Structure formats: structure tokens, C-alpha cells
Amino acid sequence: MSAIDRPSGQQTTTSAPHDSVFLKACRREPVPHTPVWFMRQAGRSLPEYHKVREGIPMLDSCTIPDLIAEITLQPVRRHKVDAAIYFSDIVVPLRAIGIDLDIKPGVGPVIAEPIRTRADLARLRDLTPEDVPYVTEAIGILTAELGATPLIGFAGAPFTLASYLVEGGPSRNHEHTKAMMYGDPELWADLLDRLAEITGAFLEVQIEAGASAVQLFDSWVGALSPADYRRSVLSASAKVFDAVAPYGVPRIHFGVGTGELLGLMGEAGADVVGVDWRVPLDEAARRVGPGKALQGNLDPAVLYAPTSVVEAKAQEVLDAAAGLEGHIFNLGHGVMPSMDPDALTRLVEYVHRSSAR
């Protein structure tokens, strides 16, 4: 029996979201229509998001349970998406264990003292539920409000977290990261192993609190070749997925520019492999192989085109997914800040209508 079929903990066959169209698609079961949700649907493009977050720094907003819940719920109310995703940031668990970092507007996460030596690893202590009490409280609020709508847990993957920590912030070329990966593979392996433990613990807190699925975001891993991914990253990502396997919740893995890595990302332990817009879903299915659902993969930039064009391109995605074992409709990357929220609402309506069985 696979992990996805083995409910335990809080995720049981009687839990309210279990028969939702989203979770059925994750489990590759028949669905009445293709489920839809959007990466970065919580926030950014929504005026109601900017209103509730006014004057509150990003990382602070990720530690206020009522605010987390409100932001997470906003796109569910507005767009009628089939799943909510927990509002957070990939660096939240790092800050929770004491790493000195901040999110600079227009830049992204910035680390005060990058991790560059073996001595620096001592700063990466274990994460405990007591470090993130706001997560448990916020998810308690959310599951009560969401009812039968599933909540997706959220975390950054070890490679992407390592890249931020080693570079000290966002990087175009990942030169310090790759220098460590190639030049000191033992230190690199130990760094990713520590981050896998922290990430796994962070996802466990979310599942224990009531998340019905989890997604691991590996935003920067597309910078690697398949050989480098297999040698230097795969085992750490697998360790994260193994940590949450006993809960039986669907595990989603997504990265940007990962067309050459799709099969390996599935091999790491994902039940659902997220695909960006660069690879058609039927080709992605060939690369991933059987036994996995796929998620994706409309180019986010399409949403700026007229509605007729958006619908035509969405239909192309649905047509490419017609033969898949399971499909969750999503964008090939996140919602952009300047995107018209009404365009997203219309897209959800179109996918539901067009894919009705």
C-alpha cells in the first residue's frame, strides 16, 4: 500500500475534505471536473490582501494566526478554487529557528550572515512545534472555516533554502551555492540533510494541525542538471517526503524550469508532480512515468491576454491532460502581483465548466 493510501494521524477517510475533487485528483481517482488552484493565490494580486496587510511586514504577517487565516481564505471566497494553500513564506521555518533574515521589498529574502562553513551549520537547529505555534493556531482556524475544502501545507525544498542561505539572498547564477556543492560535497550534503529535517518537521506541524496535502516548492532547482540533481539534491528532497509519508496525505513537488528534472522530482517521492509552462502535460507525463498525478501548467502571462485567448490556452492545457491518470489545473508558476483577479475567477469558472464529466 502506498503512503497516499495509508491514512493516519489527522487525515482519515472520514475527514471532511477527503472526498473533495482536489484530493481525488491527487489520488488519481475519477473526478466530476478538473480541480483548480493557483500558486501564490493568497495575496499579491488581491486588493483585500493589501488592505489587511497594510503596514505589516511580510514575515510578521506570517506569524499572526487570524491574519494568516484571512489571507488564506480570500482567494477561496473570491475565485471558488478547489483548494486553499497555507499563507506563508519558504523562509519562515528558518526565521523560527533563529536565522537572522528579512524579506526586502523588491528583492526577496536576505540573510544577514550566509551559511558558508561547517561551523555555520550549528545555527541550523531542529525545528519544534513550539517554534511555530502560530501555524497550529492558524490551521485550526482555517480547517474550521474551510469545511470540505482542502488546505495545502507549504514549505520550501532543501535546495532552494540552501541557495538562499549560502548566497545570502536571491541569486541569478547560484555561484556560491554551486561552489559549495561541487567544491565541498560533504558540507553540502550535511547542509541539505539539516534543511530536510527542518522542512520535514515544518510540514509535519501543518499536517498534524489539519492540512490535507502538502506542496514542496523548489523554486531554484531548475538551475541544476539532472546528474547534479540526482547526486546532490534527490536524497534530501526524498527525506522530506519520507518524513510526511506516514500521514498518507498527497505530496506535491514543484520547481521552476525543471523540465529536465520532472522524472527525478517524481522519484523523490511526490504523488503529484507540478509542471511549469515550458513542457506540455502529455510530454511531462511521459517524462514522469506512470503512477503520478500532474499539476499545471498555464503560462501565467497568458492571464494578461483577452478572455477568449485565456480560455483557448486553458483548453490546450486541458486537452494535453486528457489522458493523464490525475490532473490538477494550475498556473505554470505563481500569480503575478499585477494580475487582474477577475481574470483568475473567470479562469476557474472556465476550467470547471469545460472539464465537467
Side-chain angles (χ1 to χ4, degrees):
M1 183 180 286
S2 70
I4 198 169
D5 297 320
R6 190 174 60 244
S8 66
Q10 293 210 9
Q11 306 303 319
T12 69
T13 53
T14 57
S15 60
H18 185 268
D19 292 324
S20 68
V21 65
F22 168 76
L23 290 178
K24 283 186 172 183
C26 289
R27 298 191 299 261
R28 295 174 286 118
E29 297 172 1
V31 290
H33 60 79
T34 300
V36 189
W37 73 278
F38 302 120
M39 291 178 284
R40 292 181 180 155
Q41 67 185 15
R44 308 223 312 170
S45 69
L46 299 181
E48 55 266 40
Y49 164 79
H50 293 286
K51 183 177 180 180
V52 298
R53 254 208 64 205
E54 191 172 359
I56 303 173
M58 174 61 187
L59 284 176
D60 289 352
S61 70
C62 296
T63 64
I64 304 170
D66 288 340
L67 185 59
I68 295 168
E70 170 59 23
I71 293 171
T72 301
L73 290 166
Q74 285 174 348
V76 180
R77 296 189 199 112
R78 181 188 270 261
H79 304 313
K80 306 297 188 288
V81 286
D82 295 289
I85 183 162
Y86 180 76
F87 175 73
S88 187
D89 188 272
I90 64 171
V91 298
V92 163
L94 299 179
R95 192 192 203 202
I97 62 168
I99 298 297
D100 186 359
L101 59 85
D102 196 10
I103 296 180
K104 300 286 177 68
V107 177
V110 176
I111 314 297
E113 297 179 55
I115 302 286
R116 300 276 173 85
T117 69
R118 181 159 295 278
D120 292 332
L121 292 184
R123 289 153 50 200
L124 298 172
R125 66 167 176 81
D126 291 343
L127 177 92
T128 69
E130 290 71 33
D131 293 316
V132 287
Y134 43 84
V135 173
T136 300
E137 186 176 344
I139 291 180
I141 297 169
L142 280 164
T143 52
E145 290 284 333
L146 285 166
T149 300
L151 175 67
I152 304 168
F154 171 100
F159 176 83
T160 293
L161 293 178
S163 181
Y164 278 118
L165 285 169
V166 174
E167 300 292 338
S171 172
R172 183 181 298 273
N173 299 310
H174 309 280
E175 53 265 41
H176 294 293
T177 304
K178 291 185 176 182
M180 181 188 292
M181 186 176 75
Y182 297 134
D184 194 342
E186 290 186 5
L187 174 59
W188 173 258
D190 290 345
L191 170 59
L192 259 66
D193 188 69
R194 292 294 298 119
L195 291 171
E197 291 176 358
I198 292 163
T199 300
F202 189 54
L203 290 177
E204 286 183 57
V205 171
Q206 294 175 60
I207 297 168
E208 290 281 354
S212 297
V214 292
Q215 176 156 314
L216 193 65
F217 288 80
D218 216 345
S219 309
W220 303 125
V221 80
L224 299 182
S225 69
D228 285 340
Y229 182 93
R230 179 176 290 283
R231 180 172 51 246
S232 304
V233 175
L234 178 60
S235 63
S237 294
K239 184 171 184 173
V240 177
F241 287 126
D242 288 346
V244 299
Y247 292 96
V249 304
R251 299 159 296 175
I252 310 169
H253 201 5
F254 173 77
V256 185
T258 51
E260 299 301 319
L261 306 178
L262 290 172
L264 291 166
M265 292 173 71
E267 191 178 319
D271 303 295
V272 183
V273 177
V275 184
D276 76 7
W277 68 93
R278 296 171 178 88
V279 180
L281 288 175
D282 48 357
E283 170 60 18
R286 188 190 68 77
R287 297 183 188 186
V288 171
K292 309 285 184 184
L294 296 187
Q295 178 176 280
N297 68 339
L298 183 69
D299 185 342
V302 168
L303 270 293
Y304 293 91
T307 300
S308 60
V309 176
V310 175
E311 293 181 353
K313 298 297 285 185
Q315 190 60 51
E316 289 179 12
V317 172
L318 292 170
D319 291 345
L324 301 186
E325 297 179 65
H327 176 224
I328 298 100
F329 190 98
N330 207 312
L331 302 180
H333 197 194
V335 171
M336 300 179 194
S338 60
M339 205 169 272
D340 177 7
D342 291 341
L344 291 166
T345 302
R346 290 192 297 268
L347 177 56
V348 175
E349 293 171 350
Y350 177 81
V351 172
H352 285 168
R353 183 174 70 249
S354 178
S355 66
R357 286 22 167 192

